[in-house]
Amino acid sequence: MSSKRTLLVACALAALCVAVSLPESLDWPARAALLAFGGAAIFWTLTELNGAYVAVAAALSLVATRAVEQQALIDGLGSKVVWLVIGTFVLGAAVAKSGLAGRLTALITGGGTTVGGLMWRMTFGILPLAFLIPSTSGRAAILLPLYRSLIEADDDERLARAVGLLIPSVIVISTICSLTGAGSHLVAVDLLERLSDKTIGFGQWMLWGLPFGLLACLVTAFVIGRLFLDRETRERRVARVEAEAGPLSAAEWRTGVVVAAMLGLWLTEGYHPFGIATVAVAGAVLLTMPVVGVLDWDEGVEAVNWSLILFIAASLVLGRALISTGAAKWLISSALTTSGITDDSPTLVVLLALSALGMSAHLYMVSHTARVAALLPPLLLLAQALHLNPVAVAFLANAGMDYCLTLPISSKALLVFQGGERQVWTSTDLLKLSAILAPAYTALIVAAYYLLWSRTGLAL
C-alpha cells in the first residue's frame, strides 16, 4: 500500500474515532460496534486486504473489547446462512462435474444463431444459475470457459467485448432473481428475522425477484447489444462451438433429480418441516454419497469458498452487534433528525431514497455481504421508526445493492472477465454502460414496485 493510501487510511480511522467518541448518549458496547464496523468499512474500501480477513478481525475485536460475548462468534459460524451457502457450493460443483453445465453451454451456443440471437440466448441461459450457485464469482468461473471457447472460435473483437460485458453483467443483475443468488440475501433474511420477526421464503423471493430480474437482464442485453455492436454485426452468424450431445448420462440424471428435489423443497418451504439450509446440506450429502453421488467428499469440501463462508459468518456478527448494542438504533435516530423524512413522506420519495442508497453502496463498499451487513440494520430500524413494512424495506434495499456495474472492482464477476489474458473491455466501457443502465434499473424498480411488488405484499 502506498504512503498516500496509508495516510488516507490513518486519517479516516482517526476521524472515525473522533466521531464515535463525541456522542454522550452512546455506551461502550455501541461505540465499540461502530468502531469495529466503521473500521472494517474503511479497510474494505481503501485497502487491498482480504475482505474476509478484515471481517473476522473486526468481529474478534468486538469480543476482545467485551462489546459482545464470545458465543457471538460461534453463533455466526453456526448460522443457517453459513450451512446453506456450503450446501449450494457443493451443488454447483456437482452440476459442473456431472456435465449438466456443459449441456447448458450447448444450449446457449447452439449452431446457426446470429450474434444478436446469441446475446439473448446467453441471457436466458445464465439466469437459472442464480438458483444453483450462490456466488457471482462462482457463476463467472463456470461461464469463463464458455466465453473463451466462443471468442477463440469467432475472432471478432466487437463480439468479444460485447459478450465479455454481457456475461458478468447478467450474472450480477440476475442475482435478485433468487434467495440463493447471493450470500448477502441470506444475511439480509437473517437480519430481518432478528430485528422484525418477519422473514422472506424462497418462493416469496422468487415471486418478487424473478420477474424483475428477468426484465432487468433483458434490458441489460438490449443496451449492451446497441452500445457495442452495430446492426451488421448483430445479424452476422456466429461460428459454431463444439458441445456434447446425446442422451443424459447416469451422473447427469442423478444430479438433475437431486437439483429438482432441492428446488421443489425450497419452493414449498412452509409446507414441510425442512428449512432451506437443511435441504441444501441434505442435497450436498446426497451428491457426495458413494455410488449415488457424482463428487467424492474431498471434492465437495474443496468446492466450498471457505473465505466467503468466514466472511459471511463474521459479517453476521458485525451486523448483529450493531443491533444488539443499540448502535444501529442510534444511527437511525440521528439520521431522522437531519433527513427530514417522516412517516408522512410520499411513497415515491422513500422508494427513490432506498434505491439511491442501495445502488450507490457499491461505489464505497465492494462486497455484497458487507453492504447488506452495514446498511440493512439501520434501514430496518428506520422502517420501524417510520412505520414502514420491514419486509419491503429489506427486499427493496437488496434490489438496489445487487446493482454493482460502475467499476470493475465492485464485483468479482467483473474482475474475472476483465482480468484474463486478453482484455477485451475497459473500465471506460463499463462506465459507458452503467451511465445508461443505472437510470434504467432505477426506473424498473419504480415500475416493479407500483405494478407488482406493492400488490403482492411489498407495499411500503
Side-chain angles (χ1 to χ4, degrees), residues 83-93 131-134 180 262 266 280:
W83 286 99
L84 174 57
V85 174
I86 289 173
T88 46
F89 268 118
V90 177
L91 171 63
F131 291 86
L132 302 176
I133 303 171
T180 56
M262 290 173 66
W266 283 342

Side-chain angles (χ1 to χ4, degrees), residues 46-106:
L46 299 179
T47 75
E48 297 180 357
L49 286 174
N50 183 279
Y53 173 81
V54 171
V56 170
L60 188 61
S61 73
L62 290 174
V63 176
T65 56
R66 307 292 297 274
V68 299
E69 298 295 328
Q70 297 182 52
Q71 186 63 33
L73 292 177
I74 307 303
D75 291 342
L77 285 169
S79 168
K80 65 182 181 182
V81 175
V82 169
W83 286 99
L84 174 57
V85 174
I86 289 173
T88 46
F89 268 118
V90 177
L91 171 63
V95 170
K97 183 177 179 180
S98 69
L100 286 179
R103 300 278 182 176
L104 177 60
T105 300

